[in-house]
């Protein structure tokens, strides 16, 4: 088991986990954008065996469409948004 605690206004980069997660929002708000596995191509994951191979190279707040041309086509209409408030719990399989 792992416990992650973060300060307000923190932003996690695009990534995937190899295990299930249960996220409990204690205070404040947190927004998740969850993509299906088919969206991976548009998130430009780092290559296998790279130190960041569980992360995507795309910055979703400022997508560089010249550097990541498939992002727009692959990600448009994808991504479930979950807004968590205090005491909300999100299960991410």
């Amino acid at each position: 088991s792992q416990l992650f605690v973060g300060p307000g206004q923190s932003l996690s980069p695009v990534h995937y986990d190899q295990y299930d997660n249960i996220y409990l929002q204690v205070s404040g708000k947190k927004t998740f954008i969850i993509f299906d596995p088919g969206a991976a191509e548009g998130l430009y994951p780092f290559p296998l065996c790279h130190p960041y191979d569980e992360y995507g190279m795309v910055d979703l707040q400022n997508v560089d469409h010249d550097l990541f041309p498939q992002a727009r086509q692959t990600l448009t209409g994808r991504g479930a948004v979950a807004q968590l408030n205090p005491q909300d719990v999100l299960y991410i399989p």
Side-chain angles (χ1 to χ4, degrees), residues 1 12 15 17-18 32-33 35-36 42 44 46 51-52 59-61 63-64 68-69 71 78-79 82 84 86 90:
S1 296
S12 299
H15 69 279
D17 293 321
Q18 296 181 4
F32 283 83
I33 304 175
F35 291 98
D36 65 276
Y44 289 83
F46 283 93
Y52 297 111
D59 175 357
L60 293 178
Q61 290 190 308
V63 178
D64 182 336
F68 305 111
R78 280 194 152 129
L84 273 61
L90 177 64

Side-chain angles (χ1 to χ4, degrees), residues 44 64-74:
Y44 289 83
D64 182 336
H65 293 288
D66 292 328
L67 191 58
F68 305 111
Q70 294 176 344
R72 179 177 287 134
Q73 179 181 351
T74 306

Side-chain angles (χ1 to χ4, degrees), residues 42-93:
L43 297 170
Y44 289 83
F46 283 93
L48 292 176
C49 300
H50 187 280
Y52 297 111
D53 65 1
E54 293 180 1
Y55 290 85
M57 292 185 261
V58 172
D59 175 357
L60 293 178
Q61 290 190 308
N62 188 25
V63 178
D64 182 336
H65 293 288
D66 292 328
L67 191 58
F68 305 111
Q70 294 176 344
R72 179 177 287 134
Q73 179 181 351
T74 306
L75 301 179
T76 298
R78 280 194 152 129
V81 176
Q83 176 74 45
L84 273 61
N85 295 301
Q87 301 179 5
D88 285 346
V89 176
L90 177 64
Y91 172 67
I92 307 170

